Amino acid sequence: MLTEISNVPDYQGYISIFNNRREKLVCDKTTLYLYSKVAARKIYEFNPHAKIIIMLRNPVDACFSKYLFSYYSGYEWLPFEEAIQVEPIRKQRKMIRIVRFVDFYLYISIYKYYEQVKRYIEKFPSENIKIIKFEEFMSNTTKKIREVLEFLGVDIKKFDFSVCEKIYNYSRMPRNFLWHEFRYFLFLVLPYYRQKFSNLPAIYYPIRAMQFSLFGFFLLSRKFFEMNYKPKMSDETREKLKNIFKEDIEKLSELIKVDLTDWIK
């Protein structure tokens, strides 16, 4: 069972998610555990025998992909080059739309992997850590999934490898800024106020009704206002990012004993 956790208020709430599971193996796929400065320690305290799977993508490609997701989702509104320039300001919780989601605005910091991976290597035995290059996973998905299943001790004979051939995450972009802002209002603003006024029916129910009606409009209209399209990063920006990540990539390569220099060539 693969579970992604969100909006869990406390430790007991987290544990309750895994109660009464029939599966022999339950995994938590929270990506920010790698970036977190305390997650490795807390996971170890909870279960020192936990198995850790870390997938690393070329940070130049990863930070741009994260930007596209943030823009499509409505969090981001700045051009990519400007967004990476103001990251130090955003770390101070400025120039962001939703303060509690500051991580959505960090494109450089999150992909400096060296210190992040080091925290796990220092806590867990090497046999309990599986590190996968994203590029290798994409070029031979079946092989990498087989390796992960073996790492977890799962019977691969019962696994349906046909799922490896499917594409689950198409790149989509709004056709104009008006639709971009509509998505922001529908998926970020309304849910925020709906939760904030959940104890005030006079405000909560009108917000909920508006959200449902607008969501219907969204489903009917998205094919006209969105496109399966992935913008390209400029060569100049790519070279700039390579220089930014170069030292971290070299240190990471030495740490995990894997040649990652193709990321900066």
Side-chain angles (χ1 to χ4, degrees):
M1 177 66 185
L2 195 61
T3 302
E4 186 166 18
I5 310 302
S6 62
N7 299 322
V8 178
D10 52 34
Y11 177 79
Q12 292 302 323
Y14 176 81
I15 295 300
S16 68
I17 295 173
F18 302 97
N19 290 340
N20 303 317
R21 293 286 192 183
R22 296 181 179 179
E23 299 84 3
K24 294 181 180 179
L25 182 68
V26 180
C27 302
D28 176 352
K29 67 177 187 76
T30 306
T31 55
L32 283 175
Y33 284 168
L34 187 60
Y35 179 65
S36 168
K37 293 182 179 180
V38 300
R41 173 177 57 80
K42 289 189 173 183
I43 293 171
Y44 184 82
E45 291 171 355
F46 175 72
N47 180 10
H49 305 293
K51 291 199 170 184
I52 309 297
I53 301 172
I54 300 173
M55 182 175 288
L56 303 174
R57 183 179 185 180
N58 181 335
V60 176
D61 296 328
C63 71
F64 187 57
S65 179
K66 185 174 188 294
Y67 164 81
L68 295 179
F69 173 78
S70 293
Y71 187 87
Y72 175 68
S73 301
Y75 293 97
E76 184 59 84
W77 69 96
L78 295 175
F80 180 57
E81 289 74 11
E82 187 174 344
I84 60 178
Q85 287 177 359
V86 301
E87 181 165 324
I89 299 174
R90 285 174 156 178
K91 280 187 173 182
Q92 302 173 29
R93 299 180 179 271
K94 299 176 182 178
M95 291 185 67
I96 57 179
R97 282 178 158 173
I98 302 179
V99 173
R100 66 192 180 102
F101 292 141
V102 65
D103 297 325
F104 277 88
Y105 301 92
L106 304 181
Y107 307 113
I108 303 295
S109 307
I110 282 185
Y111 296 107
K112 287 194 172 182
Y113 300 126
Y114 172 72
E115 291 291 343
Q116 302 176 35
V117 174
K118 184 181 176 184
R119 286 194 283 268
Y120 284 87
I121 289 178
E122 290 176 343
K123 280 290 182 185
F124 293 90
S126 58
E127 62 269 20
N128 280 12
I129 300 176
K130 175 71 174 175
I131 297 177
I132 305 169
K133 282 183 69 175
F134 173 82
E135 294 79 12
E136 293 178 353
F137 177 83
M138 292 299 293
S139 63
N140 198 335
T141 306
T142 300
K143 177 185 176 182
K144 289 302 174 182
I145 289 182
R146 185 182 297 271
E147 289 178 4
V148 168
L149 294 177
E150 292 174 348
F151 169 72
L152 296 174
V154 175
D155 185 0
I156 61 175
K157 295 179 181 177
K158 298 181 180 180
F159 187 80
D160 180 12
F161 284 95
S162 64
V163 300
C164 303
E165 308 303 322
K166 298 179 181 179
I167 299 176
Y168 294 91
N169 191 17
Y170 290 95
S171 295
R172 297 183 66 85
M173 291 296 288
R175 290 187 182 274
N176 55 59
F177 193 69
L178 183 62
W179 184 257
H180 171 274
E181 293 300 282
F182 172 73
R183 285 184 56 89
Y184 165 65
F185 180 73
L186 175 60
F187 292 110
L188 298 178
V189 175
L190 286 181
Y192 170 77
Y193 284 105
R194 181 178 170 183
Q195 182 179 19
K196 182 177 181 179
F197 295 110
S198 59
N199 295 324
L200 296 174
I203 301 178
Y204 170 81
Y205 286 107
I207 291 177
R208 189 180 73 164
M210 180 186 296
Q211 187 178 11
F212 285 165
S213 61
L214 288 178
F215 186 70
F217 172 76
F218 167 78
L219 292 178
L220 292 172
S221 306
R222 66 180 303 187
K223 66 179 180 179
F224 301 108
F225 294 104
E226 295 181 9
M227 51 188 172
N228 293 331
Y229 165 69
K230 185 174 183 178
K232 301 293 184 181
M233 186 193 316
S234 71
D235 292 339
E236 181 181 355
T237 300
R238 179 171 290 276
E239 290 304 313
K240 178 181 177 180
L241 289 173
K242 285 181 181 180
N243 290 329
I244 290 174
F245 288 115
K246 184 177 186 295
E247 181 181 357
D248 190 80
I249 290 172
E250 291 172 344
K251 291 166 65 178
L252 175 65
S253 185
E254 178 65 25
L255 177 69
I256 64 176
K257 309 302 179 188
V258 175
D259 184 9
L260 303 173
T261 55
D262 56 306
W263 286 350
I264 48 179
K265 288 181 179 178

